[in-house]
Amino acid sequence: MKTPTGAHPPRLSKAFAAASERDDQWRQLNALARTWAAARGEDAAARKAECASQWVAVRALEHFWAYPGPRLLDALASALDGGDAQTFARLVQKVSGALLSGDFRRAEQVWATDSEGDGRTLDALPPDMAGQALAKPYFEVLIVTPTQPSEWARSREEIARMRRDDDEFVYAVVHVGSFEDAALAVMLNANLEAVVLIDGFPFDSRLDIPGMHDYLHRHIKVDPGSVAAGALATTLAQSIKKYRPELDLYLLTDRAAEMLAASDEAKPIRRLFHHVEEPMELHLSILDGIKDRFETPYFDNLQKYARRPIGTFHALPIARGKSVFSSNWIRDMGQFYGTNILFAESSATTGGLDSLLEPTGNIKRTQEAVARAFGAKRAYLGTNGTSTSNKIVVQAVCKPGDIVVVDRNCHKSHHYGFVLSGAQPYYVEAFPLTQYSMYGAVPLRTIKQALFDCMAEGKLDRVKVIDMTNCTFDGHMYNPRRVMEECLAIKPDLIFLWDEAWFGFARFNPLHRMRTAMGAAAALTERYHSKDYRAEYDAWRAKYPKLDPKDPAVLDIPLLPDPDKVRIRVYQTHSTHKSMSAFRQGSMMLVWDDDFHHVEGPFEEAFFAHTSTSPNLQLIASLDLARRQMELEGYGMTMHMTDLALRLRSAINTHPLISKYFRVATPEEMIPAEFRASGIKDYGPPHGSWTDLVEAWTNDEFALDPTRLTLVCGAAGFDGTQFKGMLAERFDIQINKTSRNSILVQTNINNTRSDAALLIKALADLSREIERRQEQDSQSGRDAFAARVKSLMTDVPDLPNFSRFHDAFRDNAKSKSNEGHMRPAFFMAYDEDNCEFVKLASEEVDKRLKDGPEMVSANFVIPYPPGFPIMVPGQVIGADTITYMRKLDVKEIHGYHAAQGIKLIKPSALAGRKAGSDR
């Protein structure tokens, strides 16, 4: 079919997630086709022309997906060319609906054309789908081949003949004929789970797709001139594995397969075949690869256990549900929860259930699968949230007297971990975002300064851990690779604890993965083992033979670690339940530690100390299932949630009415310019290209996670807590975190376009109400509204920094570094005789700030929001902290009761304490 005048396929370079754009294109075509089918006369010709133009846009990329496939596409083109509006509209509606609902994975009839009886006979289906039970899990396989497109249909038929009724899964095939086409297919098609590479394909695409190279080069950049002869297939394999590490790769080659299999080139390949001599083995290998990821060892065994007739004589009356279903009073519990959750309850660790504390069976296999999926060397399952996971890691890697360089604004679990372990926190400050009453993240210069100060004072050997939150609650993402590289140049055996509680999903798309702890650990390991890095390091060392820790200039030198001394020691915790399909409190601890053999014993002790001997079996099973889902469909889901968040940002900030009262804070507003070397201000057109975004995330010190939207509501006269309550009560929209003048809107894999529309509708309705009220209100009413907005948006309290630990809790009062013994201060408060209270608003507070004695906090004080401790045990309370406390208008402040006042350690108790003691 000829391209209509003026019709152009969409430019890929303008799309963030082309798969989402594809769905929109089909829905638009569906609307146009219905209009054409209803039109008459000259109007029909015009409507047909619109359909033809849209069809060009739709058809441009369709060969990268198995559905709708060549037969339906040809039928659609024929109906359009023949002017058959009714047939065209029916087929477009079928395809659009199947894509939207996912029925192409389940319903055979959606694969058939009208001429094939709409799929009512199996033999009428496309040959590669005929006779398949689509109730089985469905996926797609990419075949990269040098054969001509005219031979691809026969290839699909040959593959179909290998399928058996007892296959556990069903797949359809997508063929492409070049390196570039294969790379693009992997980026576009989230249904792909395996790639078959047949040696001999060319590099360049024969397709004319506008913006194709810009789209490809965001993440996959290969110079064909640099590829060794015969290595194009393995180069493609390496590129695909970096972009989508979950995919299974198979290579068919006519080279010496047994020699290639032993080379480094073949590391990404799951299995090699000598060309096509064993087609059935290839088919079975593809299914076996999917089975490895689909298998959920713990969940599978829990299901088997629940189906068995069990007599329970252990301390769990609820097991098997007899105490519930036979009850006169709580039978509604059984009706609500159902039988499975009760039949699957047990306190036993036998019968295939395994022990979380000493796993040797299916929990051990589950942990191995988690490590594989998340790119770690080891993995542990947590059943009491990441609060406990953080305490486990801190206690495992720290002992009394160790110094931990830590973000003062990290989650309270880290601070409690220091109390338990006796480690001394060296608090470093994040950059403030005073206008939103929140902190960002800790600049690398600040972290390096802390390390150099310790080096200058001869105690760098005591610095054990760098402990940071990535990404923060508000979406600030570190550049972990850069942070770790420069810190390891100062101390090559540092341990890094990255609290990625909100960021577990990030492993599963290439954009976020580059900012993860495990992604950085893998990248640095590869980097430091390369010959190129050694040459780079030697040149750097010649330029900087010695670093003076007292010279301020060292903070601006990009540091490189010695490859002979560096150790990659990285721990990542994440709340699986916060971003994946796991039950509440499900958490994971991921480990990439070159020296874990030194830590394994203490880690197990810490794990034993904090993990229940009666963990929830459903929770463990949900962690198993969350891993399965993310490894099989995490790429598509995380790309969709990111695309949805970007659409929300644009819809809110460009709406003429909504944006008067509500807006989503941009990267420019959330990250100071000094940390955005790229100069990026906002995401995507018209602010810049998507390639700009990738470059910024690759190089900038900090980046802003687009899935976490700081929705500023202060201009509408709402504080965060008030607005959160209003959204819940009036619009059934649930929000978690708030600040003085904003709420946090968080998209995740659960969200849909309908959810986004619900939020937009709520904001639009509220904006109209405010407009009407402003128009009808008196001048005094408008003045009151303006004053309210000013108090929320302008008259915001300054954020207090950490002051210092009292000299009684420091080893050296004159030390430039600020670490302190928090543990003894914490436990001193257990003795009431050591404590006193002063009222926040009292004159005594002002007098002591001016004349002394110093006020020293006896406990943690944590306002919600913003949720960070503004006082910790042993901290000297400064004037800025008191000012902040007095301006706070939040109701929830952990560790502070207004009726009592601030809890302090008495000066007399401090006077009797020996400085530097850990008791």
Side-chain angles (χ1 to χ4, degrees), residues 62-205:
E62 279 308 307
H63 47 276
F64 291 113
W65 286 270
Y67 182 81
R71 294 156 69 92
L72 269 171
L73 291 173
D74 289 346
L76 278 159
S78 178
L80 181 60
D81 286 343
D84 187 348
Q86 301 301 323
T87 298
F88 186 77
R90 278 199 305 274
L91 290 177
V92 170
Q93 185 176 24
K94 173 192 285 189
V95 174
S96 179
L99 291 174
L100 184 62
S101 65
D103 279 349
F104 67 92
R105 298 184 181 94
R106 299 176 289 272
E108 294 172 315
Q109 65 269 23
V110 302
W111 288 79
T113 66
D114 279 4
S115 63
E116 295 166 334
D118 206 27
R120 292 184 177 85
T121 59
L122 291 178
D123 58 359
L125 289 173
D128 59 326
M129 297 303 298
Q132 295 302 307
L134 295 188
K136 298 176 181 179
Y138 164 93
F139 64 98
E140 295 177 10
V141 175
L142 179 69
I143 298 181
V144 192
T145 175
T147 61
Q148 294 299 311
S150 59
E151 300 179 37
W152 294 353
R154 182 167 58 85
S155 171
R156 288 195 295 270
E157 292 174 9
E158 291 173 352
I159 291 170
R161 285 195 290 271
M162 288 184 287
R163 295 194 172 109
R164 305 166 302 163
D165 290 341
D166 56 354
D167 288 345
E168 294 182 63
F169 314 101
V170 60
Y171 64 87
V173 170
V174 178
H175 283 88
V176 295
S178 72
F179 183 109
E180 290 184 328
D181 291 342
L184 186 56
V186 166
M187 295 175 75
L188 296 177
N189 188 349
N191 297 322
L192 293 176
E193 298 293 349
V195 180
V196 178
L197 309 169
I198 303 176
D199 230 344
F201 53 83
F203 183 87
D204 294 322
S205 173

Side-chain angles (χ1 to χ4, degrees), residues 234-274:
T234 51
T235 302
L236 176 59
Q238 292 163 4
S239 298
I240 290 174
K241 207 64 178 177
K242 287 182 178 179
Y243 184 80
R244 288 183 62 182
E246 78 278 8
L247 295 182
D248 296 322
L249 307 181
Y250 303 91
L251 176 61
L252 277 61
T253 180
D254 54 7
R255 291 185 281 167
E258 62 278 4
M259 296 296 293
L260 182 59
S263 70
D264 288 342
E265 289 180 72
K267 285 169 66 176
I269 306 295
R270 182 179 174 93
R271 185 168 176 184
L272 281 81
F273 295 91
H274 189 258

Side-chain angles (χ1 to χ4, degrees), residues 374-389:
F374 287 89
K377 297 291 188 183
R378 290 173 178 256
Y380 293 83
L381 306 181
T383 57
N384 195 30
T386 300
S387 295
T388 293
S389 294

Side-chain angles (χ1 to χ4, degrees), residues 711-727:
L711 179 58
V712 182
C713 55
F718 303 125
D719 63 59
T721 303
Q722 177 188 9
F723 191 48
K724 171 184 174 180
M726 180 181 296
L727 287 176

Side-chain angles (χ1 to χ4, degrees), residues 585-701:
Q585 295 188 329
S587 178
M588 293 175 179
M589 290 155 275
L590 307 178
V591 181
W592 188 306
D593 187 346
D594 290 345
D595 295 329
F596 190 71
H597 53 284
H598 295 313
V599 180
E600 187 169 10
F603 193 99
E604 288 186 351
E605 285 292 339
F607 193 82
F608 294 156
H610 292 280
T611 302
S612 170
T613 53
S614 299
N616 185 288
L617 308 192
Q618 323 304 326
L619 205 160
I620 299 172
S622 77
L623 290 171
D624 203 4
L625 288 163
R627 187 276 315 158
R628 177 212 279 177
Q629 180 179 45
M630 298 307 289
E631 207 171 11
L632 286 165
E633 56 184 341
Y635 171 73
M637 299 181 94
T638 56
M639 289 297 284
H640 171 76
M641 67 183 259
T642 307
D643 180 67
L644 184 65
L646 291 165
R647 290 170 183 255
L648 263 174
R649 286 175 177 272
S650 177
I652 292 169
N653 288 353
T654 59
H655 192 282
L657 177 58
I658 294 175
S659 60
K660 287 179 64 176
Y661 302 104
F662 304 96
R663 62 182 174 82
V664 178
T666 65
E668 182 182 24
E669 293 168 314
M670 295 288 282
I671 302 173
E674 63 193 283
F675 307 122
R676 286 181 292 110
S678 66
I680 194 168
K681 296 183 177 182
D682 206 349
Y683 293 139
H687 312 287
S689 71
W690 295 116
T691 301
D692 293 337
L693 179 152
V694 176
E695 292 297 324
W697 282 32
T698 302
N699 300 310
D700 283 355
E701 182 168 347

